[in-house]
Amino acid sequence: MAYIRLLGEADLRTLGLTHNDVVSAVEHAYRQSARGLAEVPTKIGVHPDHPNSFSHAMPAWVGGGEPALGVKWISYHPGNLEHKLPDSWGVIVVNDPETGEPVCFMEGMYITFLRTAACAAVMAKRLVAQPQVLGLIGCGGLGKASLAVMRHVFPSLKQVYVSSKKAESRQAFCAEFDSDSCRVVPVDDVGQLLAESDVVVTSLPPVDIPPVQAGMLKDHSVFIPLDVDFSWDPAVVGEFNAFYADNVPYFRALLEKKVGRPNMPDTAILDTQEFVAEHDGPPRAPQGRVFVAVCGIASVDIVIAAQAFHRAVRANIGSFFEIRQS
């Protein structure tokens, strides 16, 4: 008989995955990719008959000393929020990398939020030294994860500005996470946030008018739109001195579509995985403004999910489902 371990969000939260664990897992996945020890196809998807909705299949294999194999299936329906439902749902299947046997089926959004925030932090800590001010545009689950991971990676942070569509949401967010050592302050004027922040992280649903417009970002700052392309106006592209992406072909195609091929910047789009593999020393000061595109690659999800599965096995956490009788 074959059984698959089932892990819900509550199970995952009991496993004790720390911010260090997640950041290290992202760095491991990136390094293995840079060494040619990973296979991470660009995600494929379908688009149900709802505005801006999608469902993506994201498989990955990561080799080396700690191999990981699996797939994430994630859906995004921004209209759900009107019905008081989450806008994102995800599940992850972990396979035995030696036999291919599915060994674990787990809730996917908990890991998605952690890994996406960690992807931003892994790059930010290599691009800017001791930032004082963080700007967050968007304060949902990904905004919360971003704040937690960034404060962990950057104890130098003294101020966090928070902007969102609804004043009550950012005020509640700031009331929950404000501290004497690092003030978390709601702002009505996104211009103030962009002008003063050393690192800006956005996590927005589709919006009619992107909040990040030309001339608003601070010089020598790092801009990381975790929503990839919802938060910034095409005119901003010409203001960046460097671009990094964890899926360069995907991001180049997105840029060409958004800004138009004739308006593409001359600056090359650099590979995030290679950059991380080559830069483990002190951060380099940003030369002008830097754009970091976290496109969403499955290798980071599957490495973290595999680690969560192994912890669950050791701690005997989760329930079981019989998938095969012989």
Side-chain angles (χ1 to χ4, degrees), residues 50-54 76-83 85-88 205-206 230:
H50 300 281
N52 297 304
S53 67
F54 61 77
Y76 176 65
H77 284 234
N80 284 359
L81 296 176
E82 298 176 7
H83 306 289
L85 290 171
D87 57 2
S88 299
F230 294 152

Side-chain angles (χ1 to χ4, degrees), residues 59-300:
W61 169 80
V62 179
E66 301 174 5
L69 174 67
V71 61
K72 181 169 79 169
W73 175 246
I74 186 167
S75 294
Y76 176 65
H77 284 234
N80 284 359
L81 296 176
E82 298 176 7
H83 306 289
K84 301 188 185 306
L85 290 171
D87 57 2
S88 299
W89 305 87
V91 292
I92 299 173
V93 177
V94 177
N95 297 76
D96 185 319
E98 298 300 323
T99 67
E101 177 187 357
V103 292
C104 189
F105 182 89
M106 67 180 67
E107 193 276 334
M109 292 313 302
Y110 177 70
I111 284 176
T112 294
F113 289 146
L114 285 178
R115 70 83 155 148
T116 307
C119 289
V122 162
M123 284 298 288
K125 74 175 188 173
R126 287 166 168 79
L127 290 168
V128 57
Q130 298 187 327
Q132 301 288 307
V133 182
L134 169 68
L136 295 177
I137 303 179
C139 56
L142 194 47
K144 292 179 181 179
S146 297
L147 175 62
V149 176
M150 286 293 186
R151 286 211 288 200
H152 172 75
V153 169
F154 294 121
S156 60
L157 286 174
K158 300 300 180 186
Q159 186 100 334
V160 180
Y161 290 122
V162 180
S163 174
S164 65
K165 182 178 179 180
K166 296 181 179 179
E168 56 268 27
S169 66
R170 59 180 174 268
Q171 289 166 359
F173 180 96
C174 294
E176 180 177 359
F177 296 108
D178 186 35
S179 70
D180 290 338
S181 61
C182 180
R183 306 316 306 258
V184 183
V185 181
V187 294
D188 297 326
D189 178 13
V190 73
Q192 176 190 2
L193 180 155
L194 296 171
E196 297 185 25
S197 297
D198 303 304
V199 179
V200 174
V201 178
T202 70
S203 55
L204 292 180
V207 293
D208 293 331
I209 302 175
V212 182
Q213 298 284 323
M216 298 176 73
L217 284 161
K218 180 181 179 180
D219 289 339
H220 307 292
S221 62
V222 177
F223 176 57
I224 312 176
L226 299 181
D227 45 63
V228 188
D229 68 334
F230 294 152
S231 62
W232 49 276
D233 185 84
V236 175
V237 170
E239 298 182 350
F240 292 99
N241 298 78
F243 293 86
Y244 294 90
D246 54 11
N247 186 331
V248 172
Y250 175 88
F251 183 61
R252 181 179 291 111
L254 183 150
L255 272 185
E256 289 180 356
K257 181 179 179 180
K258 183 154 182 168
V259 308
R261 189 181 297 269
N263 300 318
M264 281 289 289
D266 295 331
T267 306
I269 302 171
L270 304 176
D271 185 87
T272 292
Q273 290 89 321
E274 292 182 1
F275 179 75
V276 169
E278 294 170 0
H279 295 85
D280 271 336
R284 47 171 62 180
Q287 300 300 310
R289 301 180 184 91
V290 178
F291 189 121
V292 176
V294 178
C295 302
I297 57 172
S299 57
V300 289

